[in-house]
Amino acid sequence: MIMGSKSRRLFWYTLLIVLILSSNFLLYRLPSIQPVPNGAVAGSIMDLMLVIPLLTYFFVIRKRYSLKYLGFVVLAGYAAALFIIPGRHMQSYPFVRYAFVFSEGVLFLVEAFILFKILTKFPKLRREYKRLSDKDSLFQYNLKTSLELHLPDNRALYIFLSELSIFYYSLFSWHKQVKITHGMPFTYHKKASTIAVYVMLIHATVIESIGLHYFLHQWNEIAAYILLFLNIYGILYFLGEIQATRLTPYVLEDQRLYVQTGLAKSMDIPLENIKEFKYYDGPEKFTKIESRTLWDARAADFIVEKPTFELVLKKEQDVTLMYGLKRKVNRVVLNVDEPQSFLSEIQSRLKEDDPKI
């Protein structure tokens, strides 16, 4: 199979990362290499905290995403260093911790600057958000629309939006109810096991947290607390997925269809851009080539059923992912709890726009 330039880039990036991690892991665990010289330890630190971030920048981030994502890569590199390099070796390089704190401090200052910009516009943002939320309870859409109106062309805001959405849905939305006054809502999770899937993932994460935290704490206390933090974050994310799925139905209006699946993916589709809307009659699994330009908007399930509907677009549109990442698609497949009603409502609106349909 011939790979495109993007696929080749990701292939080589993944291969290099795997080689760096595996070679450094084996360096400290193969008896034939022991004892490990100090120069090798310095090389491992360089690999994990400098080379990997640089590779990520040139292969993934450059000209595509905000430099802010590099901070998360540095954090992951530091966590990998704590896990791979034994503590007795790391003690000889205390500057590593200070370098990590410095880099994350720079990231924090950037975040603080973004927060400052938001606070300066807060009265206008609050009024716009309240105006939108009085109509519909679509938290992410309303907040995103308000931010883009008053703070346009700032991609870093998507990071703020994603993080705030996770904490809002996981901690502060449990007494909220769906309210849609401007359009028709269609749920997509009641006939699937979506909530059960995330409850199972939360259960597994809690068990993993207890066992691994105890094990790692005996070996490396910092690594144990980093893993504990990541697991707590993961639990909040899964709780947020449950609530976002429950509180964010698909919304069909006169001129658009808003599709949001959980926390992570959303798409605002103008009806005039819909070329064809029909029952899906293709295979259950999509090929890799198809998946590049297709968005599978079905909810998570233990047994993923065949999509009910297929939506073909006249021209490609962006699917918005977490942290402002986007990809272009020209087809959308999805399921809803009331398929017949959904089909008739969309077809009637499409006929109003184009009598030939």
Side-chain angles (χ1 to χ4, degrees):
M1 183 179 69
I2 299 175
M3 294 189 293
S5 59
K6 183 178 179 180
S7 299
R8 287 197 300 271
R9 185 173 64 249
L10 291 177
F11 170 78
W12 284 112
Y13 170 74
T14 303
L15 179 62
L16 289 170
I17 296 299
V18 169
L19 288 174
I20 290 172
L21 293 176
S22 59
S23 61
N24 280 284
F25 183 84
L26 293 173
L27 175 65
Y28 300 97
R29 284 156 184 84
L30 291 178
S32 58
I33 307 178
Q34 308 307 314
V36 177
N38 284 333
V41 178
S44 294
I45 293 172
M46 292 284 287
D47 282 346
L48 299 170
M49 295 194 63
L50 182 61
V51 175
I52 287 180
L54 286 175
L55 288 173
T56 304
Y57 171 74
F58 285 108
F59 279 87
V60 180
I61 294 176
R62 186 167 64 102
K63 296 182 181 180
R64 298 174 190 87
Y65 309 119
S66 170
L67 278 174
K68 287 168 55 60
Y69 296 113
L70 204 57
F72 297 102
V73 181
V74 174
L75 174 61
Y78 181 66
L82 292 176
F83 178 76
I84 291 174
I85 304 173
R88 64 181 183 277
H89 294 298
M90 287 292 288
Q91 289 174 1
S92 303
Y93 297 89
F95 72 88
V96 174
R97 182 180 301 180
Y98 300 122
F100 166 73
V101 171
F102 173 78
S103 63
E104 294 305 308
V106 171
L107 180 63
F108 172 78
L109 290 176
V110 174
E111 295 282 356
F113 177 70
I114 295 172
L115 182 60
F116 172 76
K117 291 184 68 174
I118 292 173
L119 290 175
T120 59
K121 298 280 187 177
F122 182 75
K124 292 181 179 180
L125 289 169
R126 184 176 180 276
R127 284 195 297 269
E128 181 65 20
Y129 173 77
K130 188 175 185 306
R131 184 185 70 81
L132 294 171
S133 60
D134 285 342
K135 296 179 181 180
D136 301 321
S137 58
L138 304 174
F139 174 79
Q140 275 185 297
Y141 175 80
N142 295 339
L143 184 58
K144 175 176 172 286
T145 302
S146 302
L147 289 170
E148 288 179 344
L149 178 64
H150 296 289
L151 291 167
D153 302 322
N154 193 332
R155 293 190 63 182
L157 288 176
Y158 284 100
I159 298 177
F160 170 81
L161 173 62
S162 297
E163 295 295 330
L164 185 61
S165 297
I166 292 172
F167 288 101
Y168 170 80
Y169 280 117
S170 63
L171 300 176
F172 304 110
S173 68
W174 292 94
H175 297 293
K176 301 289 183 180
Q177 299 295 324
V178 176
K179 182 183 71 171
I180 305 294
T181 61
H182 193 65
M184 296 187 64
F186 292 91
T187 58
Y188 55 89
H189 68 283
K190 293 181 179 179
K191 293 183 179 180
S193 304
T194 307
I195 293 177
V197 168
Y198 289 117
V199 169
M200 182 197 70
L201 290 172
I202 291 170
H203 184 259
T205 304
V206 170
I207 294 175
E208 179 198 54
S209 299
I210 296 172
L212 282 180
H213 180 75
Y214 175 79
F215 169 75
L216 287 176
H217 198 275
Q218 310 301 314
W219 171 61
N220 190 306
E221 191 172 322
I222 296 176
Y225 282 110
I226 288 176
L227 181 65
L228 179 63
F229 168 79
L230 293 175
N231 282 338
I232 292 173
Y233 185 87
I235 291 170
L236 290 176
Y237 178 83
F238 295 140
L239 288 171
E241 280 282 1
I242 291 173
Q243 286 299 92
T245 299
R246 186 178 70 84
L247 295 174
T248 313
Y250 301 155
V251 179
L252 176 62
E253 297 180 1
D254 291 337
Q255 302 297 327
R256 68 161 191 152
L257 172 64
Y258 181 70
V259 179
Q260 179 178 326
T261 305
L263 278 170
K265 300 177 182 179
S266 65
M267 193 173 185
D268 197 350
I269 308 170
L271 295 186
E272 64 182 13
N273 193 35
I274 297 178
K275 178 180 179 181
E276 188 177 10
F277 181 80
K278 61 181 180 179
Y279 282 109
Y280 177 76
D281 59 358
E284 290 191 13
K285 294 185 178 181
F286 305 108
T287 65
K288 291 183 178 180
I289 295 176
E290 280 184 306
S291 298
R292 292 173 188 168
T293 57
L294 177 142
W295 176 30
D296 186 350
R298 290 174 293 176
D301 202 349
F302 287 114
I303 301 175
V304 181
E305 296 184 356
K306 189 175 179 178
T308 306
F309 296 111
E310 177 181 7
L311 191 154
V312 182
L313 301 176
K314 295 177 183 177
K315 58 181 181 180
E316 288 185 329
Q317 273 191 238
D318 287 328
V319 177
T320 301
L321 313 176
M322 289 289 288
Y323 302 110
L325 303 178
K326 295 182 180 181
R327 70 182 184 91
K328 292 189 177 295
V329 300
N330 55 27
R331 293 169 60 205
V332 180
V333 294
L334 49 82
N335 292 336
V336 293
D337 294 325
E338 299 178 8
Q340 190 56 49
S341 174
F342 187 63
L343 176 66
S344 61
E345 289 294 337
I346 287 189
Q347 286 184 336
S348 66
R349 283 167 170 75
L350 291 178
K351 286 179 181 178
E352 290 175 6
D353 291 340
D354 188 351
K356 295 180 182 179
I357 295 180

